[in-house]
Amino acid sequence: MGQSRITPDHIDHYREHGYVIVRNFLTPQEMKKVKDDLRVESPQWVEYCEDPSRPKPDGGQFNFVPGRGVTRFPFKGPSLNHVGFHPELRQFASDMAGGNEVFCEQSNLNVKCKGHPRDTDQAFHCDYGNHTLAYPPDLPEYAQTAFIVYYTDVDLDHAPTAVCSQRHYPESLRWPSHYTREERPELYDNEVKITVPAGSLFAYSMRTFHRGTPFLKEAGRIVHFITYAPAAWKWMGIVGWSVEAIRPAFRTWIEAATPEERTALGFPPPGHSYWTDETREGVSARYPGMDMSPYE
């Protein structure tokens, strides 16, 4: 097994500040495969981000669905799907949740550029508003972890995400969950703008104040939003994956996935009481290309 990309120093930073940046989380080889997938999922966007003198992409890429984005898992390409279920993301989210089992509650691909409907100067906010029906206490067993993987280089001109360390808001209650610059200037005075090369990772909690910033020049950005939540609590999760199960792309993914990846999506794990002769027969009929041996 290779060396972990998320190191103990990264974990310590996350616990102290409520976020961490892992530069170059994806290898150059992985990024090449991701860009090949992106050219299928979001035509013209890779080329525009690399050369903004080209015409801006148009069409459906501007149809942003709140909580889902433009395109969402499962993607047409295997590399994008793999990033959402990267074992280090799953392990990190589980560690932050006290070692408990977690599931993937979100995997969205998002694109934007200067002048895009979402090219805005956001207020500082916590993300739990649309990730849980309840409230995120400061207890590991309820910890949800959000990740942003950057598929294009981001500098100060490219609408970098801004984040503020939790050292600057030591109060326990994260309410209100939004603050304008006038309401809470110290958040803005102490923000860190995440400028990173493509392939980098930003991880943060539902209790961490962060915000989107606007483009300062003609440019584009492609990111992947991924979120994990403890599997035990049914009030968490931004989307229900069952609605996607009728899509051919979903069947293709689930047939090829590992048992661990399926479980991370909420699929019944091997050894669960769900598995009987009847359910094995039914699942096998629905997903004929799936190896059923782990569920025997």
Side-chain angles (χ1 to χ4, degrees), residues 4-22 88 91-93 95-96 166 203:
S4 295
R5 307 178 193 189
I6 301 177
T7 68
D9 286 344
H10 290 133
I11 293 172
D12 289 343
H13 190 283
Y14 185 92
R15 293 189 188 281
E16 179 179 355
H17 298 278
Y19 77 92
V20 69
I21 302 164
V22 183
E88 289 210 36
Q91 185 61 56
F92 183 86
D95 290 344
M96 295 307 103
Q166 61 188 8

Side-chain angles (χ1 to χ4, degrees), residues 126-292:
C126 295
D127 270 357
Y128 65 82
N130 58 355
H131 283 266
T132 177
L133 297 175
Y135 172 84
D138 190 16
L139 295 170
E141 59 264 39
Y142 300 108
Q144 294 164 274
T145 303
F147 302 98
I148 301 178
V149 183
Y150 297 88
Y151 291 147
T152 50
D153 295 338
V154 177
D155 62 23
L156 291 176
D157 292 326
H158 289 74
T161 311
V163 63
C164 184
S165 168
Q166 61 188 8
R167 293 188 303 179
H168 298 291
Y169 42 98
E171 71 276 9
S172 175
L173 187 65
R174 300 294 197 264
W175 184 261
S177 60
H178 288 70
Y179 287 105
T180 65
R181 190 181 298 271
E182 292 72 26
E183 292 169 332
R184 202 81 186 265
E186 73 275 16
L187 299 181
Y188 296 80
D189 292 341
N190 291 287
E191 71 180 12
V192 173
K193 290 185 176 176
I194 299 171
T195 56
V196 291
S200 297
L201 173 72
F202 169 48
Y204 61 98
S205 84
M206 292 295 123
R207 295 172 54 85
T208 303
F209 281 100
H210 64 287
R211 70 189 189 95
T213 68
F215 285 91
L216 301 182
K217 68 177 184 181
E218 295 293 341
R221 196 191 75 173
I222 308 172
V223 302
H224 193 164
F225 287 95
I226 303 157
T227 310
Y228 278 83
W233 319 122
K234 303 307 180 185
W235 57 84
M236 296 180 183
I238 198 170
V239 67
W241 292 120
S242 296
V243 72
E244 308 297 336
I246 60 173
R247 295 171 61 195
F250 187 94
R251 186 179 72 182
T252 299
W253 180 85
I254 208 163
E255 289 178 342
T258 66
E260 293 78 14
E261 288 173 332
R262 295 187 196 108
T263 300
L265 197 70
F267 200 80
H272 194 278
S273 59
Y274 166 85
W275 293 110
T276 65
D277 289 345
E278 178 190 10
T279 57
R280 278 188 288 269
E281 182 180 6
V283 169
S284 181
R286 186 175 188 183
Y287 303 109
M290 181 173 157
D291 176 12
M292 296 300 300

